[in-house]
Amino acid sequence: MQEIIISERMPVLALRGLTVFPQATVHFDVGREKSVRALDKAMKGDQKIFLVTQRDILQDDPSMDGLYDVGTVAEVRQVLKMPGDAVRVLVHGEYRAHITEELTAKSYLCARVESLPDENVPMQSVRVDALLRQAAQLFDEFIELSQRPVQDVMLKIIASRDPGQVADLIAQAASYDYSDKMRVLAQLDPVKRLEISNRLLSRELEVLRIENQLQDKTQQVIDKDQRDYYLREQMKVIRKELGETDEDDEAEQYRARIEALHAPEEVTEKLNKEVQRLLKQPYGASEASVIRNYLDTALELPWNRRTKERVNVETARRILDRDHFGLEKVKERILEILAVKQLAPELPGQIICLVGPPGVGKTSIAMSVACALNRKLARISLGGIHDEAEIRGHRKTYIGAMPGRILTAIQQAGSCNPLLLLDEIDKLGSDYRGDPSAALLEVLDSEQNKTFRDNYLELPFDLSECMFITTANTTDTIPRPLLDRMEVIELGSYTDEEKLMIAKRHLLPKQLKKHGIAKTQLKVTDDAMREIIRCYTRESGVRSLERELGALCRKAAMRIVSEPELKAQRVTGAELEAYLGPRKLLPDKLPSADTVGLVTGLAWTSVGGETLEVECNVVEGTGKLELTGNLGNVMKESVHAAMSYIRSRAKEFRIPTDFYKTKDIHVHFPEGAVPKDGPSAGVTVCTALVSALTNTPVRRDIAMTGEISIRGRVLPIGGLKEKTMAAYRHGIRTVIIPKDNEKDLAEIDQTVRRALNFVTVEHADSVIETALALPVTAAPEAKPAKKAVLPVPQSPVEPQTGIRQ
């Protein structure tokens, strides 16, 4: 114990994470420049240096404020130069001290330090003896648990009766934190110092016990893994001798692929269980093949692979305009959906349903949207599917089981956020194997498809990131719950001018490239294009037009090969028959004169609008009503409704009131092989009957559509856009439509609106007055015909195959 206060000037060395106690010999490395210079200063003097621990071990250049208050004055006994700039130092602690004055030095820390002698306490007492015994016992246990070679320290502890010295020895040798050691160093009461040291050592022993337990468990696992390794190696040798494959390597490969998948925890756990099942299968078992197929399918799915989506309205507009001519309203609807997605990307995407006749570009629009959004495209053809398992997949217990078309398409796309094109959704069927449209209800519901479970996979797969576009020719056959989940966008028929521009910009260049013909080698004039459109094709879309252009290119290619001197060909309308043969369709012509009993009606079909003539003959007879033309029940009822109305208005039409007894009436719809149904031919039939019964000609430049009631009211119809397109192609000047359809005229093509004169009517009397030159006494409900100012269509309403009126 130091009883004399020593105060002297000496260099200061800051220790990082280390504490040196009096009477302890310690070696450590010195690397910081200030520390090395302080050490050099001590070596040039009396080899005394003040060692003090810094508070923050992360601080690289501590000041005096960053050091603890108490340190140890030590004697430098040995200095060794290490590789680089480091120095290894051996010091021996002499006594406690603290800084009383910070001195100025240029390149190292320097201070005046003053010794701190221990307080005077009774060195021998029962309490001190107990603390010394406890210290010896704890340190002995510490040596056993830590397995440190500090037996010499143990001998000093047993031999010493000084509690302060014993506390310093234990604190120097123990492995607890430097901040705890500083508590021991700063305590000047030897007995209290030993108490603190014993408490800290007790806590350290608890930590060592837990550490040893963990180490024992780890060792047990390692021993088990080594045992398993040896057994597996033996199994490998045995399998190799038997000529069997190494299933363990296969399982390890599966585990590595599962880990690299970064799939949800439920998926990872399920797949690892399947790997364990695979390991338990005997060699050659059929169940092993089922498990392998299942694992391969699950691992090939893009659980976390996605493409970076590009939601930019201007880019999408440019791509849509580049790929498609016309369809302005359709493009605008799609761009509106993309604009909403750009502003609120977190909202679930809408399910788009493109409805229109064949060949108008539904599938190609979906491809353009995928290109605009930078999404992978996967097309699923739903036409003719009757089995629900085609959508949800088969249970893997069945032989030849496979996942459904949804997950198969995602797997082919290689992305978990593709654009899925569900083509021909209106052609789905159902039978005893289930209803596939019901299975699509979950797929096309953004609230449910986050956890879509395929029957084969039996794991939840998130479809909420997928964008769905469906196509259909009509919405009539789509189940109402399924249709309710979709945003319907209608694509109408193309006008002849639109077809001309599409052929010039898209179809002809595509066919020229396909047939290896340079643009300079074949020129097709506009009049030739119009001739092809009018006389070789008659369709709503452009598929037949593309086929005819392909035939024209083949003929041109033949001439180029046969006549090498021919540099270029120019095809005009007059030369077209030399390439495509005689005209297949003659242009629609109006009758040469107004005819009695012949009226032009308008019909809707799944491939667009058509004109439909209605013929009526009245001859002497016994009141028979003959209906021919492959008519459905609804159309037959329309004829009877028209007859009932005419009988109620016979006097006003100047028709004998007993005509239904004395005349035989025959109503015929030409093209008798084509099924026809629907109520919208009611006004056409009524006009034809009145014309035949009154022997009054019908204006040949008028076409009409509308349902008729037995009181003569004209009711609204559907498919007006397609019907007016057919009237335009047929050369009609005036179209009679129901008054309630006036609002639909706004959706009609501008070219058609300019070419046609629309007359809106509410009563059959107005129809007859417009179509026939016959004065009619006004009925109570009848109102004069009105020329429409607005224009429109709506989707067809009457379900049937064939022509719909």
Side-chain angles (χ1 to χ4, degrees):
M1 178 180 297
Q2 299 288 339
E3 297 180 355
I4 302 173
I5 304 298
I6 301 174
S7 177
E8 57 182 325
R9 172 195 176 106
M10 64 178 62
V12 178
L13 178 61
L15 300 176
R16 195 182 335 218
L18 176 66
T19 303
V20 177
F21 287 82
Q23 308 306 316
T25 302
V26 182
H27 66 84
F28 54 86
D29 293 340
V30 178
R32 289 183 287 195
E33 187 176 352
K34 275 188 176 183
S35 301
V36 173
R37 289 178 179 175
L39 190 60
D40 291 342
K41 181 65 176 176
M43 293 302 294
K44 290 177 182 178
D46 58 358
Q47 298 185 0
K48 293 290 193 302
I49 191 167
F50 182 58
L51 304 176
V52 60
T53 306
Q54 65 186 64
R55 296 179 185 275
D56 185 3
I57 63 172
L58 298 177
Q59 192 172 1
D60 195 53
D61 186 15
S63 63
M64 288 294 185
D65 295 335
L67 305 178
Y68 280 100
D69 298 331
V70 181
T72 303
V73 174
E75 179 188 4
V76 181
R77 292 188 173 180
Q78 189 179 33
V79 177
L80 294 176
K81 294 285 186 181
M82 301 295 290
D85 296 331
V87 175
R88 178 160 293 176
V89 183
L90 180 67
V91 298
H92 177 73
E94 293 190 349
Y95 57 87
R96 285 173 174 79
H98 70 108
I99 298 172
T100 59
E101 182 184 357
E102 181 181 349
L103 302 178
T104 304
K106 293 183 179 179
S107 57
Y108 63 94
L109 296 176
C110 184
R112 182 170 296 280
V113 298
E114 185 177 281
S115 64
L116 294 171
D118 287 347
E119 296 178 1
N120 293 318
V121 295
M123 301 302 295
Q124 299 298 327
S125 68
V126 175
R127 178 177 176 78
V128 171
D129 290 342
L131 288 172
L132 289 173
R133 289 183 184 180
Q134 182 187 26
Q137 182 181 357
L138 291 174
F139 194 75
D140 183 53
E141 189 175 352
F142 171 76
I143 293 174
E144 182 180 352
L145 290 175
S146 64
Q147 297 181 353
R148 290 190 176 191
V150 287
Q151 285 77 8
D152 56 335
V153 178
M154 184 65 191
L155 293 175
K156 291 179 182 179
I157 292 172
I158 295 173
S160 176
R161 307 304 299 171
D162 183 351
Q165 184 184 13
V166 171
D168 289 345
L169 289 170
I170 291 175
Q172 188 70 67
S175 56
Y176 42 77
D177 192 68
Y178 72 93
S179 61
D180 292 331
K181 291 185 178 184
M182 283 305 302
R183 291 172 56 195
V184 178
L185 185 65
Q187 180 56 251
L188 300 181
D189 186 331
V191 177
K192 289 183 179 179
R193 188 189 310 159
L194 185 57
E195 289 177 355
I196 294 172
S197 178
N198 286 352
R199 283 200 302 270
L200 292 174
L201 190 57
S202 297
R203 181 179 177 277
E204 184 66 18
L205 289 175
E206 289 297 325
V207 173
L208 288 173
R209 290 189 189 99
I210 295 173
E211 187 178 305
N212 288 340
Q213 289 175 4
L214 295 175
Q215 187 173 358
D216 290 343
K217 289 181 180 179
T218 304
Q219 189 63 41
Q220 289 175 6
V221 173
I222 293 174
D223 293 343
K224 182 179 182 300
D225 289 343
Q226 288 179 342
R227 178 177 177 275
D228 292 346
Y229 172 76
Y230 291 134
L231 291 175
R232 289 193 188 99
E233 290 298 319
Q234 291 176 355
M235 290 175 65
K236 287 181 183 178
V237 174
I238 294 172
R239 286 198 183 101
K240 187 175 181 180
E241 292 296 326
L242 293 174
E244 299 179 2
T245 58
D246 191 350
E247 295 180 0
D248 190 61
D249 284 349
E250 182 184 33
E252 288 302 322
Q253 291 175 6
Y254 276 126
R255 288 195 183 97
R257 291 173 64 187
I258 293 169
E259 185 177 354
L261 205 60
H262 301 297
E265 184 178 353
E266 181 182 354
V267 175
T268 303
E269 184 179 348
K270 168 73 172 175
L271 296 182
N272 280 322
K273 285 183 179 178
E274 293 295 326
V275 173
Q276 288 300 116
R277 287 185 59 211
L278 180 62
L279 284 173
K280 295 177 182 178
Q281 299 300 318
Y283 177 74
S286 59
E287 181 67 16
S289 298
V290 174
I291 297 174
R292 287 189 189 95
N293 291 337
Y294 175 81
L295 288 171
D296 290 338
T297 302
L299 291 171
E300 287 172 5
L301 286 172
W303 294 95
N304 284 303
R305 295 197 305 272
R306 54 177 55 81
T307 56
K308 186 176 180 181
E309 188 176 30
R310 179 181 59 216
V311 182
N312 186 287
V313 173
E314 291 305 317
T315 302
R317 187 192 303 276
R318 187 167 59 252
I319 292 174
L320 287 172
D321 289 340
R322 179 195 68 191
D323 296 343
H324 300 86
F325 178 81
L327 303 174
E328 296 303 329
K329 293 188 178 180
V330 177
K331 293 178 186 176
E332 205 59 38
R333 288 284 294 278
I334 292 174
L335 292 176
E336 288 169 3
I337 293 172
L338 297 183
V340 173
K341 191 171 186 63
Q342 185 173 343
L343 293 176
E346 71 281 355
L347 292 178
Q350 289 180 302
I351 314 298
I352 301 172
C353 180
L354 303 176
V355 179
V360 294
K362 299 184 293 295
T363 303
S364 62
I365 281 181
M367 294 178 178
S368 298
V369 172
C371 178
L373 292 176
N374 191 35
R375 288 186 180 227
K376 298 291 185 68
L377 177 71
R379 178 179 170 273
I380 305 172
S381 179
L382 300 179
I385 290 180
H386 289 77
D387 191 354
E388 179 192 353
E390 291 285 343
I391 305 298
R392 286 190 177 276
H394 304 78
R395 299 284 180 189
K396 65 176 182 288
T397 53
Y398 294 107
I399 297 175
M402 61 182 66
R405 297 199 179 197
I406 300 295
L407 287 190
T408 302
I410 292 176
Q411 178 182 326
Q412 292 170 353
S415 166
C416 64
N417 64 335
L419 188 151
L420 295 183
L421 174 60
L422 306 181
D423 223 354
E424 308 294 350
I425 197 170
D426 58 326
K427 307 298 191 302
L428 283 171
S430 61
D431 56 16
Y432 66 92
R433 290 169 291 185
D435 186 357
S437 64
L440 283 175
L441 292 177
E442 180 186 4
V443 176
L444 298 182
D445 191 330
S446 56
E447 298 298 326
Q448 302 179 34
N449 61 13
K450 293 179 181 178
T451 56
F452 174 73
R453 286 181 181 266
D454 188 272
N455 289 334
Y456 180 81
L457 197 64
E458 295 178 335
L459 289 171
F461 193 91
D462 187 0
L463 299 180
S464 62
E465 294 187 56
C466 300
M467 182 176 182
F468 293 93
I469 294 183
T470 65
T471 68
N473 295 129
T474 176
T475 58
D476 292 343
T477 55
I478 302 176
R480 184 56 53 184
L482 189 58
L483 186 63
D484 185 59
R485 284 164 163 77
M486 299 185 290
E487 178 77 14
V488 177
I489 300 178
E490 294 188 1
L491 285 76
S493 305
Y494 289 119
T495 63
D496 289 353
E497 290 302 314
E498 286 177 333
K499 290 182 181 180
L500 174 64
M501 298 305 297
I502 292 170
K504 290 172 63 176
R505 294 186 183 183
H506 301 283
L507 303 183
L508 184 59
K510 177 182 175 182
Q511 291 298 323
L512 290 175
K513 182 179 179 180
K514 181 179 178 180
H515 291 85
I517 302 173
K519 293 182 180 179
T520 57
Q521 292 179 299
L522 179 63
K523 299 288 184 182
V524 181
T525 62
D526 287 359
D527 64 317
M529 287 284 193
R530 289 190 174 91
E531 196 75 10
I532 295 173
I533 292 168
R534 293 172 182 169
C535 300
Y536 290 87
T537 65
R538 182 169 291 173
E539 57 177 347
S540 299
V542 291
R543 284 207 180 108
S544 296
L545 176 58
E546 186 174 7
R547 282 194 289 269
E548 294 299 329
L549 290 175
L552 189 149
C553 289
R554 289 194 296 273
K555 292 290 186 181
M558 187 65 188
R559 291 190 62 184
I560 291 172
V561 172
S562 303
E563 306 173 25
E565 68 281 357
L566 186 64
K567 299 297 182 184
Q569 300 177 63
R570 186 172 183 272
V571 181
T572 64
E575 301 169 343
L576 200 58
E577 289 192 1
Y579 289 86
L580 299 180
R583 287 165 172 74
K584 300 175 183 177
L585 302 167
L586 296 177
D588 291 331
K589 293 183 180 180
L590 297 175
S592 56
D594 296 344
T595 308
V596 173
L598 179 62
V599 185
T600 302
L602 299 175
W604 181 92
T605 70
S606 60
V607 296
E610 294 286 347
T611 56
L612 181 67
E613 291 184 341
V614 178
E615 296 179 339
C616 183
N617 271 348
V618 178
V619 295
E620 296 295 330
T622 58
K624 294 180 182 178
L625 177 62
E626 187 76 19
L627 306 177
T628 56
N630 199 355
L631 309 181
N633 291 332
V634 177
M635 186 168 280
K636 292 177 181 178
E637 290 171 358
S638 294
V639 178
H640 288 289
M643 280 291 294
S644 179
Y645 161 70
I646 293 171
R647 288 177 60 184
S648 68
R649 302 280 290 147
K651 290 182 180 179
E652 287 78 358
F653 293 146
R654 300 183 179 88
I655 300 172
T657 56
D658 60 347
F659 75 93
Y660 63 93
K661 298 179 181 178
T662 60
K663 306 289 185 180
D664 285 349
I665 302 174
H666 185 181
V667 180
H668 177 65
F669 292 80
E671 297 187 35
V674 179
K676 309 171 189 72
D677 203 3
S680 62
V683 294
T684 311
V685 172
C686 180
T687 305
L689 288 170
V690 173
S691 172
L693 289 169
T694 60
N695 200 32
T696 305
V698 181
R699 289 174 52 188
R700 67 182 186 277
D701 61 343
I702 281 186
M704 61 189 69
T705 181
E707 181 180 353
I708 191 172
S709 72
I710 60 174
R711 300 185 63 84
R713 289 182 299 126
V714 179
L715 306 179
I717 46 84
L720 184 63
K721 184 177 181 181
E722 289 78 7
K723 292 177 179 180
T724 53
M725 189 78 71
Y728 170 72
R729 287 198 300 262
H730 198 71
I732 298 296
R733 303 280 198 291
T734 302
V735 176
I736 299 174
I737 63 173
K739 173 70 175 177
D740 290 341
N741 284 111
E742 185 175 351
K743 64 183 188 302
D744 298 335
L745 293 174
E747 299 294 329
I748 292 178
D749 187 88
Q750 294 294 329
T751 305
V752 177
R753 288 178 60 182
R754 287 192 295 267
L756 298 179
N757 173 34
F758 292 95
V759 177
T760 59
V761 296
E762 292 181 296
H763 199 274
D765 287 352
S766 303
V767 178
I768 294 169
E769 287 179 358
T770 304
L772 277 66
L774 175 70
V776 180
T777 303
E781 300 98 328
K783 294 184 180 179
K786 175 185 174 184
K787 180 176 179 179
V789 179
L790 298 175
V792 230
Q794 87 199 49
S795 58
V797 290
E798 308 91 334
Q800 283 293 347
T801 55
I803 291 179
R804 215 167 356 153
Q805 302 303 320

